[in-house]
Amino acid sequence: MTETFNIAAYCRISVDDEKENENTSIENQKSIISDYVSRTFPGSELTFCEDRDRSGYTFAQREGYQRMRPQLLSGRYDILIVKDLSRFSRRNGHGLVELETLRDAGVRIIAIGDSIDYPTNDDWLRIQIYFFVNEM
């Protein structure tokens, strides 16, 4: 029997991103995540949360993420999946603290495009590098 999970997927597009850019559009992010979940975690429950026209620099002004966060911290979701870490955060310090908070709450974090599966794999150094580059 295949193990199933409750999975939260977070999608964000910035005010700086071109809304028609297929690499960052909300619809593209959802498609990539849905395909990944159906292949990797068949039968799992997938819930999407999104923020449109929101900067990746801070979490405070992202209403979608703020609604999802308490559910992540309370154990409602086992896994948080993003297309890549730049969709999660573009601020090194804040992104790292938020990921540590989620990890400490027992949430597994997967960034598909960055090949991150944390803490399943010890990707902390790679995560730090990605956040540093994304902030630049």
Side-chain angles (χ1 to χ4, degrees):
M1 184 168 158
T2 304
E3 186 175 13
T4 59
F5 300 94
N6 290 322
I7 301 172
Y10 180 67
C11 303
R12 180 187 64 78
I13 188 165
S14 171
V15 292
D16 297 331
D17 292 332
E18 295 179 27
K19 293 181 182 175
E20 301 303 318
N21 185 341
E22 291 186 22
N23 289 327
T24 59
S25 75
I26 296 287
E27 293 72 25
N28 182 59
Q29 292 174 56
K30 285 182 176 181
S31 175
I32 289 168
I33 293 168
S34 294
D35 288 347
Y36 179 86
V37 169
S38 67
R39 285 183 285 109
T40 309
F41 305 109
S44 292
E45 178 185 322
L46 176 60
T47 304
F48 282 97
C49 180
E50 66 183 58
D51 282 306
R52 292 180 186 268
D53 300 323
R54 294 292 181 246
S55 168
Y57 195 69
T58 179
F59 288 96
Q61 46 77 36
R62 292 195 240 161
E63 298 87 359
Y65 184 79
Q66 292 303 321
R67 280 191 303 273
M68 176 183 64
R69 188 175 191 269
Q71 295 175 11
L72 287 163
L73 296 176
S74 71
R76 162 73 176 92
Y77 296 107
D78 307 300
I79 301 171
L80 170 64
I81 298 180
V82 293
K83 176 184 168 275
D84 57 55
L85 290 174
S86 72
R87 300 297 92 207
F88 183 73
S89 179
R90 289 207 179 259
R91 189 167 181 190
N92 189 26
H94 287 197
L96 292 172
V97 168
E98 187 66 11
L99 282 187
E100 283 184 315
T101 301
L102 294 175
R103 178 209 57 208
D104 291 349
V107 178
R108 179 177 172 187
I109 298 107
I110 296 174
I112 299 166
D114 298 325
S115 298
I116 298 292
D117 186 346
Y118 183 74
T120 303
N121 300 323
D122 188 11
D123 290 333
W124 193 244
L125 180 59
R126 288 181 52 228
I127 290 169
Q128 291 176 57
I129 292 168
Y130 278 117
F131 276 138
F132 177 75
V133 170
N134 290 338
E135 185 172 343
M136 302 317 274

